[in-house]
């Protein structure tokens, strides 16, 4: 969540650096939200195949988006970086909570999810504050590069250290849903 909430700081401040008006900055963030929303369906389909297929590319795409922000000199460039971020973020929409559910032990699910959610919310608090602090102490570019590095590290960590767990009941629900769709398609063909 740290990398995801860092966008609340990075793109608006990137717009301020370019001298954009408040409405132009709003347009930049709107583009990000629109692309994110459009990609969430694709992200869900990919996540059903494998959590890693959704999460790993997402982390690297977000890292690339953060890396491009310091090089943006025009509004359309910042919008493109914002759209790229939205693309990556949409690919993994809901991933963190889904991973928490996947990894939660059956006998202590609520306790595990409580701690898991608390830690993810701490990460959400750290995103904008880390980006802002780094910008104040060092520079905006340092902040953007740090967020990119954290995102890339997350992708590497997920690739090598996070188990791709698919619970049997999740697979059973997917199979039942698929069978129901096939039955309804057969009924339509018969009619």
């Amino acid at each position: 969540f740290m990398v995801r909430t860092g966008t609340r700081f990075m793109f608006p401040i990137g717009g301020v650096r370019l001298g954009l008006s408040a409405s132009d900055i709003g347009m930049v963030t709107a583009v990000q939200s629109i692309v994110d929303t459009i990609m969430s369906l694709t992200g869900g389909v990919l996540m059903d195949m494998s959590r890693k297929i959704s999460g790993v590319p997402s982390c690297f795409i977000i890292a690339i988006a953060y890396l491009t922000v310091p090089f943006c000199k025009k509004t359309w460039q910042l919008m493109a970086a914002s759209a790229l971020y939205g693309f990556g973020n949409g690919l993994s929409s809901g991933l963190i909570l889904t991973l928490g559910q996947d990894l939660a032990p059956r006998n202590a699910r609520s306790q595990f999810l409580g701690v898991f959610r608390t830690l993810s919310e701490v990460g959400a608090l750290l995103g904008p504050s880390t980006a802002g602090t780094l910008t104040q102490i060092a520079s905006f570019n340092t902040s953007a590069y740090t967020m990119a590095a954290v995102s890339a590290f997350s992708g590497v960590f997920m690739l090598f250290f996070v188990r791709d767990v698919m619970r049997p009941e999740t697979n059973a629900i997917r199979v039942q849903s698929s069978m129901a769709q096939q039955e309804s398609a057969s009924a339509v063909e018969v009619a």
Side-chain angles (χ1 to χ4, degrees):
F1 274 142
M2 178 181 168
V3 171
R4 288 182 167 185
T5 58
T7 189
R8 295 179 189 154
F9 176 84
M10 296 304 297
F11 288 97
I13 297 302
V16 168
R17 287 181 68 221
L18 294 177
L20 301 182
S21 67
S23 61
D24 287 342
I25 292 171
M27 186 66 75
V28 168
T29 57
V31 165
Q32 181 182 101
S33 297
I34 290 167
V35 173
D36 188 331
T37 302
I38 291 169
M39 290 307 300
S40 63
L41 178 62
T42 304
V45 170
L46 290 175
M47 201 182 323
D48 281 346
M49 290 185 234
S50 164
R51 308 304 189 228
K52 288 184 180 186
I53 288 175
S54 172
V56 173
S58 171
C59 290
F60 289 113
I61 291 168
I62 290 172
I64 292 167
Y66 276 131
L67 284 174
T68 61
V69 173
F71 299 102
C72 295
K73 304 295 182 215
K74 299 188 185 281
T75 306
W76 70 266
Q77 293 170 332
L78 190 61
M79 275 193 190
S82 182
L84 183 63
Y85 178 92
F87 182 85
N89 196 47
L91 279 180
S92 63
S93 187
L95 177 68
I96 293 176
L97 297 179
T98 304
L99 277 174
Q101 185 66 30
D102 287 346
L103 298 173
R106 291 184 195 284
N107 58 349
R109 189 169 285 178
S110 59
Q111 295 90 337
F112 178 88
L113 290 174
V115 171
F116 189 86
R117 183 68 180 174
T118 300
L119 291 174
S120 66
E121 290 303 321
V122 167
L125 287 172
L126 289 175
S129 58
T130 300
T133 302
L134 284 171
T135 298
Q136 190 171 21
I137 292 172
S139 70
F140 178 79
N141 292 1
T142 301
S143 180
Y145 299 149
T146 301
M147 296 305 280
V150 170
S151 187
F153 173 79
S154 299
V156 170
F157 185 85
M158 183 173 208
L159 181 64
F160 292 109
F161 298 108
V162 175
R163 289 182 300 140
D164 204 359
V165 178
M166 298 290 284
R167 290 201 176 274
E169 65 265 20
T170 304
N171 290 335
I173 291 168
R174 192 171 344 131
V175 168
Q176 289 172 354
S177 173
S178 176
M179 289 173 56
Q181 288 174 353
Q182 289 174 353
E183 289 174 7
S184 65
S186 297
V188 170
E189 289 174 9
V190 170

